[in-house]
């Protein structure tokens, strides 16, 4: 079950990190999202500052139709796009945390009420993708920090 945080929607799944990344990619694709950017946080931190961090990836997910609608209503909204989805390894190596930015919270920053239905559509799609990653019996409530 997807849980709400202040600015995100997420859950902990009973899947190892690599499998969780694979599954969320698949489910995002089914909801019309492509991955525009990908940041391997662990590799970047190792390379840039020599620290060892848990497996952690940031996926910049974009639904082109929704992005077009939002950009048409609010040209500067590109500052808030794409929808970031993170996956990171939980303390238990058989579990991972998957969290997406809540589009409603992010896009409400515009103050443009015409954006709200687009944000709601994006949020519904992200929730469906998150829910589909794992069966309800294989999830537990999302807790920041895993």
């Amino acid at each position: 079950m997807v849980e709400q945080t202040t600015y995100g929607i997420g859950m902990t799944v009973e899947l190892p990190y690599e499998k969780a990344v694979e599954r969320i990619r698949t489910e995002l694709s089914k909801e019309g999202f492509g991955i525009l950017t990908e940041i391997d946080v662990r590799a970047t931190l190792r390379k840039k500052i020599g620290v060892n961090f848990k497996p952690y990836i940031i996926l910049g997910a974009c639904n082109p139709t929704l992005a077009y609608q939002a950009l048409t209503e609010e040209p500067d909204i590109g500052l808030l796009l794409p929808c970031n989805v993170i996956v990171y390894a939980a303390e238990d190596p058989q579990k991972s945390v998957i969290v997406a930015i809540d589009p409603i919270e992010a896009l409400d920053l515009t103050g443009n009420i015409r954006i709200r239905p687009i944000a709601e559509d994006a949020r519904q799609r992200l929730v469906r993708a998150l829910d589909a990653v794992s069966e309800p019996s294989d999830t537990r409530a999302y807790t920041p920090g895993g």
Side-chain angles (χ1 to χ4, degrees):
M1 181 175 146
V2 175
E3 298 288 328
Q4 177 74 44
T5 67
T6 304
Y7 53 89
I9 47 177
M11 62 188 191
T12 299
V13 295
E14 293 195 29
L15 293 170
Y17 172 77
E18 294 296 334
K19 184 68 173 171
V21 172
E22 177 185 317
R23 292 286 304 279
I24 194 61
R25 286 178 187 276
T26 298
E27 297 306 330
L28 286 168
S29 178
K30 289 178 184 177
E31 291 295 335
F33 290 91
I35 304 301
L36 299 179
T37 60
E38 181 177 317
I39 301 168
D40 182 336
V41 174
R42 181 182 202 180
T44 301
L45 292 176
R46 185 180 308 125
K47 180 179 177 182
K48 299 293 184 180
I49 60 174
V51 298
N52 189 25
F53 194 68
K54 64 183 152 194
Y56 191 119
I57 194 166
I58 303 170
L59 302 172
C62 180
N63 179 300
T65 302
L66 297 178
Y68 174 72
Q69 291 170 1
L71 288 163
T72 301
E73 291 294 336
E74 183 81 34
D76 291 345
I77 207 163
L79 292 168
L80 302 172
L81 301 177
C83 293
N84 281 332
V85 177
I86 61 172
V87 181
Y88 58 88
E91 302 239 351
D92 178 338
Q94 295 306 308
K95 295 181 180 181
S96 299
V97 178
I98 306 173
V99 185
I101 188 74
D102 184 337
I104 293 173
E105 295 298 325
L107 301 183
D108 273 356
L109 288 171
T110 66
N112 183 338
I113 62 170
R114 294 183 312 260
I115 297 298
R116 186 64 182 241
I118 301 165
E120 289 170 351
D121 187 356
R123 186 181 195 286
Q124 289 171 356
R125 291 168 186 261
L126 289 170
V127 166
R128 283 193 303 263
L130 287 164
D131 276 337
V133 168
S134 181
E135 298 295 325
S137 62
D138 292 337
T139 63
R140 66 174 173 82
Y142 162 65
T143 305

